[in-house]
Amino acid sequence: MELRHLRYFVAVAEAGSLTVAAEKKLHTAQPSLSRQIRDLEYEVGVQLMSRSVHGIELTAAGRAFLDHARLALTQAEAAAEAARRAAQPIKRTFAMGFLTGQEANWLPRAMDILRDELSNIEIRVSTDHSTTLAEDLQRGKLDIAFLRPEQRPDLEYKLVVREPLVVFLPSDHPLAGRKAVDPHDLADQTFIGISEIAHVLRPIVNDYLKRCGIQISPHLEIDNFPMAISLVASTRGVALLPISAENFLTWSVVSRPLKGELPTVDLVVGYHKANTSPILRTFLSRIDDLTARVSSKARQMSGPGLAAGPR
């Protein structure tokens, strides 16, 4: 069985069509692709796909095979990335990923730690959604990431902070004049919800509203903080977001704490269990110092009750 067979199979499974996979994803001829899929099925010994009026459908065997095929491709890509890094040992690299918006809080102090402890290294930084960051950790593209805890068996997590959720609303909104907002006052507001892309944050917000006995149908849904702040300003709506979203505030939007018990969402540092980088070991040994610096700064800026220290 060859890796190209797995790549072809995954492409067809995701496209649901031999034609689309051949033309759009693999840039090959459909007859050739069909032959490769038949060769794979012969190698495995069972039928993996069937044709229907809806296109290509996976058999029960194909659905079981798909997850393992994706994992094999991920591991192959991680092996290639490790080899490329090993081939350039003169200057070590350390790749860091951040959930969008978190770099403002964590990157400066993370850089301080790396400068204090290590020399002659190249630091690479990227920001993205948690799901993408977790995938990049698995593939070896990142050494460490600040993200929401994703369910990935080969990743290890360390909790660094529990962020309280706060209310974001227009600066001239009637609720903006209060020191804290009663969650029940959000029921009749234009509410901006969280999309399924943020699948860690979304249920936390929904569960909090449910516990408060509040039924809200979001008018719009967002998957990143800049979009949320923009929609709050333009639609005069309100949103419940982690306090780190304050890094994107404009003059027309403010944040206010919630009354009562505050809902929180975890931010973790994630890394691959098999990563043996000495830079990673050094960084992890200073995590407690890093979280102490950031939580102290947050308390100074936000005041009592808003900043959440490491737990």
Side-chain angles (χ1 to χ4, degrees), residues 186-194 206 209 214-221 238:
L186 304 178
D188 57 352
Q189 303 295 322
T190 298
F191 191 76
I192 299 168
I194 308 296
N206 292 341
L209 294 174
I214 303 170
Q215 291 187 345
I216 297 181
S217 297
H219 291 69
L220 297 163
E221 291 187 342
V238 300

Side-chain angles (χ1 to χ4, degrees), residues 256-273:
R256 294 291 181 265
L258 289 159
K259 286 185 178 179
E261 183 178 354
L262 298 180
T264 61
V265 59
D266 290 351
L267 182 74
V268 298
V269 162
Y271 55 96
H272 200 290
K273 293 177 181 178

Side-chain angles (χ1 to χ4, degrees), residues 186-205:
L186 304 178
D188 57 352
Q189 303 295 322
T190 298
F191 191 76
I192 299 168
I194 308 296
S195 78
E196 293 181 353
I197 293 178
H199 62 263
V200 175
L201 179 59
R202 178 185 171 102
I204 289 175
V205 172

Side-chain angles (χ1 to χ4, degrees), residues 163-169 179-181 186 191-192 194 201 205 208 225 229 232 238-247 249 253-259 262-265 302 305-308:
E163 289 189 81
L165 302 190
V166 297
V167 183
F168 288 79
L169 64 169
K179 291 184 177 179
V181 175
L186 304 178
F191 191 76
I192 299 168
I194 308 296
L201 179 59
V205 172
Y208 171 71
F225 293 162
I229 301 303
V232 167
V238 300
L240 286 179
L241 300 171
I243 196 170
S244 57
E246 290 181 345
N247 292 321
L249 281 180
V253 177
V254 297
S255 67
R256 294 291 181 265
L258 289 159
K259 286 185 178 179
L262 298 180
T264 61
V265 59
S302 301
L306 280 183

